[in-house]
Amino acid sequence: MNEEIQLREKVLKDVKEYHDKIYKNKCKWKEGDKISYGGRIFDEEELENLAEATLDFWLTSGRFCESFEKAFCRFLKVRYCTLTNSGSSANLLAFMTLTCEKLGERRIKKGDEIITVAAGFPTTIAPILQFGAVPVFVDVNLETANVNVKDLDKALSSKTKAVILSHTLGNPFDLEAVKNFCMKNNLWLIEDNCDALGAKALVDGEMQFTGTVGHIGTSSFYPSQHITMGEGGAIYTNDPFLHKVILSFRDWGRDCYCPSGHDNSCGRRFSNEYNHLPFGYDHKYVYSHFGYNLKATEMQAAIGCAQLKKLPGFIEKRNYNYNKLKNKLMDLGDYLLLPEQTKNTEISAFGLLLTIINPAFNRRDLLEYLEEKNIQTRLLFAGNIIKQPLFNSIRDDETKYRVVGNLENTNIVMNSSFFIGVYPGINDDMIEYISKTIHDFFLK
């Protein structure tokens, strides 16, 4: 055994010992301790992988990134996966990919319309406006905070090019109906799957993972998500051409598809002619798009490789917590609207959505009460995004966005909805405490 291997083994042994002494026997939760809405769950394997990547000192994308992408494809049963530095970057890449000139008449151009919802996260919508396309906002169903599919036809126009929707808090939207709408009207479908990794929906007679039915899906690996890399995200597709464009936009807009540290994968590095460049111009420095640098690092991917092995267990525990807490609050139907699972789906719960329906109570009082009791809460992200400050400069400009109807349910979500976390770090004692505290607020 050579010296390098011996030193690595010693480092990894020390890392495991560190985990066992510092992290493994953390004090158990007791009533009054903080209950977070989300957080990282890990063991020695994440720390050992991170140490491995650090010792390699290959700081950009490398073997761990490649390993994660392949394993992620196997899990989702999708052909191509590309790691990114965040879920927001994955959403940006997903949208920008559809602006590629090589898509011809189907490419998204400035002024084209994109159907979406206003009740969501800003970076689902931001790329649309930043590019100069026009988001068309439709309402949601109050029980799911997912798109009301009946509004899709009302939103359709001769300028519509795509539908971009998220699966809210791990509860899939009516994926089959949305897919059929897109197929009927020759529209692109992007699934923002950041809160629903592992969820499934019945489409074409088969249960399929959310994020894999549309043309492009996206995921986030922020610490509160189903698995984490700290920061990180992924974009995935079954379309080889879209995959090639995704890689180009992610990697500076370059035409070359060589992975980091590799040269001349195509075998024609110096033998092609590109537009007005001199013949034989180095293919590694030929650029097809106005792209970005949104790659993930080896350290992020090393953590992700360990997390991905735990994903099925994480999903099972999330769904257990979701159902247990929901059942304990069922008797509060005079005060709270509890979520309904979309028909023909399997959830992968991110949080339990609650909406106050009794006019004698208001959300702010309840949230302050829960936070005082050390129960962390979160709103449904932007609520109604067109009411957010970022819309101040365009609110009166009818060319920038369009609204279908009055977004009645979206406004209720903005004013009365919030969610409680169900991540795997929450145990039965915590659920009992959360339930008791919510009951105390309404009944005492």
Side-chain angles (χ1 to χ4, degrees), residues 113-395:
E113 293 184 346
I114 315 297
I115 299 174
T116 188
V117 296
F121 200 76
T123 56
T124 309
I125 297 161
I128 304 171
L129 287 160
Q130 289 164 344
F131 175 75
V134 179
V136 178
F137 296 113
V138 297
D139 209 357
V140 295
N141 296 314
L142 198 54
E143 296 81 5
T144 65
N146 277 319
V147 60
N148 183 348
V149 294
K150 295 177 181 178
D151 285 348
L152 294 176
D153 284 320
K154 301 174 187 176
L156 189 67
S157 79
S158 59
K159 295 181 179 180
T160 308
K161 284 290 183 68
V163 175
I164 300 178
L165 297 168
S166 61
H167 299 283
T168 304
L169 298 182
N171 186 5
F173 56 77
D174 189 341
L175 189 50
E176 183 161 61
V178 174
K179 178 197 173 189
N180 289 340
F181 171 79
C182 290
M183 289 182 63
K184 176 183 175 183
N185 297 288
N186 197 31
L187 305 176
W188 298 107
L189 173 58
I190 294 176
E191 296 178 69
D192 181 336
N193 200 39
C194 291
D195 290 347
L197 181 58
K200 293 182 178 180
L202 185 67
V203 181
D204 299 330
E206 179 185 357
M207 293 300 289
Q208 301 183 47
F209 282 109
T210 55
T212 68
V213 175
H215 298 91
I216 299 174
T218 61
S219 284
S220 169
F221 306 130
Y222 193 69
S224 58
Q225 302 293 355
H226 290 65
I227 60 173
T228 186
M229 297 181 180
E231 300 287 350
I235 178 170
Y236 32 99
T237 183
N238 285 306
D239 187 309
F241 178 76
L242 293 181
H243 174 61
K244 184 177 179 180
V245 178
I246 288 166
L247 285 174
S248 177
F249 271 107
R250 187 196 67 168
D251 299 357
W252 307 285
R254 65 180 185 171
D255 197 70
C256 174
Y257 53 84
C258 289
S260 297
H262 293 78
D263 296 334
N264 205 23
S265 297
C266 63
R268 299 186 300 274
R269 181 179 173 188
F270 299 107
S271 58
N272 280 355
E273 187 171 358
Y274 304 97
N275 206 7
H276 301 293
L277 293 170
F279 178 81
Y281 201 83
D282 187 347
H283 193 213
K284 289 183 72 71
Y285 292 97
V286 176
Y287 302 94
S288 303
H289 305 97
F290 290 103
Y292 314 92
N293 179 9
L294 302 176
K295 296 191 299 297
T297 68
E298 278 290 87
M299 288 71 75
Q300 290 171 290
I303 297 169
C305 286
Q307 287 273 292
L308 191 53
K309 297 177 184 178
K310 301 176 174 69
L311 178 56
F314 287 166
I315 294 170
E316 182 179 0
K317 186 64 164 68
R318 282 177 171 274
N319 289 346
Y320 170 86
N321 287 344
Y322 173 93
N323 288 317
K324 189 175 183 68
L325 182 56
K326 180 180 175 181
N327 288 335
K328 285 190 169 293
L329 300 178
M330 292 291 285
D331 62 322
L332 295 178
D334 290 338
Y335 308 96
L336 291 171
L337 178 67
L338 299 178
E340 293 183 7
Q341 186 172 335
T342 305
K343 186 178 178 181
N344 296 322
T345 66
E346 297 176 11
I347 65 169
S348 181
F350 182 75
L352 180 69
L353 180 69
L354 301 171
T355 303
I356 297 177
I357 55 174
N358 190 313
F361 299 89
N362 69 71
R363 184 180 65 191
R364 179 180 174 183
D365 288 343
L366 174 56
L367 297 191
E368 288 183 342
Y369 183 79
L370 292 173
E371 295 284 348
E372 287 172 2
K373 301 294 185 180
N374 265 336
I375 299 170
Q376 201 170 48
T377 62
R378 287 294 185 267
L379 300 185
L380 190 60
F381 312 126
N384 181 347
I385 198 166
I386 66 176
K387 305 291 187 180
Q388 290 277 350
L390 60 90
F391 266 70
N392 285 346
S393 62
I394 64 171
R395 192 166 283 116

